[in-house]
Amino acid sequence: MTAGQRVTFEFIGNGYIFTVTQVAVEGQDKTDIERGMLSSDSYIVFEASNSSGIKIVNQREAASSNIFRHKEFNLQSLGIGGLSNEFADIFRRAFASRVFPPHVASKLGVKHVKGMLLYGPPGTGKTLMARQIGKMLNGRDPKIVNGPEVLSKFVGETEKNVRDLFADAEQDQRSRGDQSDLHVIIFDEIDAICKSRGSTRDGTGVHDSIVNQLLTKIDGVEALNNVLLIGMTNRKDLLDEALLRPGRLEVQVEISLPDENGRLQILQIHTNKMKENSFLAPDVNLQELAARTKNYSGAELEGVVKSAVSYALNRQLSLDDLTKKVDEESIKVTMDDFLNALHEVIPAFGASMDGLERCRLNGIVDCGQKHDHIFKRTMLLAEQVKVSRGSPLVTVLLEGPSGSGKTAMAASVVLNFQGKNMLVIGTTSEVNFLESVGLCDAFSVTYHVPTLKTEDAKKVLQQLKVFSEDDVDSAAEALNDKYLNIFVFVGVVDADQEAVYGGGDGGTGRIRWKCGSYLCRKGNNSNLTFL
């Protein structure tokens, strides 16, 4: 047969004419073949024009679908960083069934997923992910719609705008049935038009009508099976619940702040060009930058790179003579440029690190086996919460005397923890009071953080380097006096702080000190000597 040839044939008593539009060898991309010889392995794919009124079903298809333009995906080459797990979920739920020929899904008795929702904080890559998914697909270009653009001040016009978005898909399904192309419709800021019905009081009922219209097209009596609706929002809580049930926007993927590995991928994507063109200085350590940028979104990381580049470019300019020729070869974006950019671009989401860092000004110091054991146990709980999807709410209570390091320990755990689930850590020096009011029972685990004995106190004093080596031993011994338990404060110490101490003889008292002073007791309760 030759391209352009007209052939007559009979099917169930009816005569038809088809025209050969293309000849191809399976597995090859060449489309310039003009003729081919029919054999027992040949098969014909029929397509009917939109105006013919003929619907073609159950014809043989190729071994696999060509829904995607590429045989494999490299997310970083597509400009998507830190979202490998999210994309894997999207592919499994929304596209795996479409890769197989249509008759496979028909035999399984399942329908394709027709809607997904990408939600999460601004700047995390929702729109980028949706646009790249549209570009990956063969066939029709995706229709990208910003939510507010659908709204119209004219009665009935908004509903018509929604219907028009699905018109091509309806016509394609009527003429080609299961062989119809996949029509992707991307709704950015979908919460602007799909708010919960009855929540708006504008008197027009337009928002309710939009939701009704979408539900009809996606999952109505004449629902389309060749449509994939992708919605993006920062406010999932505003959406109508009916949109989120199975059969509608059933695949809901949270695009959250990237972890350290994801931030490294994003930084590599945004610095790849300058690295290829030798504009990136050798001292730039992207791994270190990824570790320093906790709570940064993808957009904010891009902002950091832009800010760093601006510092590098500014060094080559002279405000006295802006027409002076620039030496392109001398442009280098250095590590200092990136560090300056981190002070300029501040993350908008996530917990503030400054307050936590102030809780452990000297970092977490080695306080002996008991403290190390408690810290590791608490970190294990944090890791459980971080990686487990089905983990219940975990709460930890750290109790012990004032200044024993509870707050510093809790702050260190949080600074090492980043996850979407919740871990609650409480600290108290009045555990008896909490037990009396029944609050201790509210915590899953309670750990006692003790004061330091002589050997542990010696370790801490050596790390703090406030005594000479000759004085460390005597200071550590004095801190373990049998009459009075004086604490080595490894937690939060403010200037002029007041603390309660208790003696082995049952006596109590209060002491005040200047920040940075260390004290121990010699003699009786009234004789306190500052070291």
Side-chain angles (χ1 to χ4, degrees), residues 332-350:
K332 294 292 181 184
V333 184
T334 66
M335 189 64 174
D336 285 339
D337 294 330
F338 279 99
L339 296 179
N340 289 330
L342 292 182
H343 294 292
E344 196 168 65
V345 181
I346 306 299
F349 293 90

Side-chain angles (χ1 to χ4, degrees), residues 39 44 47 100 122 152 222 231 271 281 301 312 370 384 401 418 462 491:
S39 70
I44 300 175
E47 293 181 354
F100 294 90
S152 173
E222 297 181 357
T271 58
L301 289 172
K370 290 185 178 180
Q384 173 191 332
Q418 184 182 28
Q462 287 174 333

Side-chain angles (χ1 to χ4, degrees), residues 309-327 330-331:
V309 170
S310 72
Y311 279 107
L313 294 177
N314 192 60
R315 283 197 299 272
Q316 306 302 320
L317 299 176
S318 173
L319 296 179
D320 297 330
D321 184 9
L322 293 177
T323 61
K324 184 180 178 181
K325 187 177 180 180
V326 176
D327 181 11
S330 62
I331 298 176

Side-chain angles (χ1 to χ4, degrees), residues 40-57:
S40 59
D41 293 327
S42 300
Y43 61 90
I44 300 175
V45 177
F46 292 94
E47 293 181 354
S49 64
N50 293 339
S51 58
S52 68
I54 298 174
K55 184 177 181 180
I56 302 171
V57 296

Side-chain angles (χ1 to χ4, degrees), residues 294-295 351-353 356 360 375 378-379 382 407-419 423-425:
K294 186 175 179 179
N295 293 328
S352 172
M353 297 296 105
L356 294 172
R360 33 159 268 173
F375 179 72
T378 310
M379 283 298 300
T407 305
M409 187 180 295
S412 298
V413 170
V414 175
L415 286 169
N416 287 282
F417 171 78
Q418 184 182 28
L423 170 69
V424 179
I425 302 179

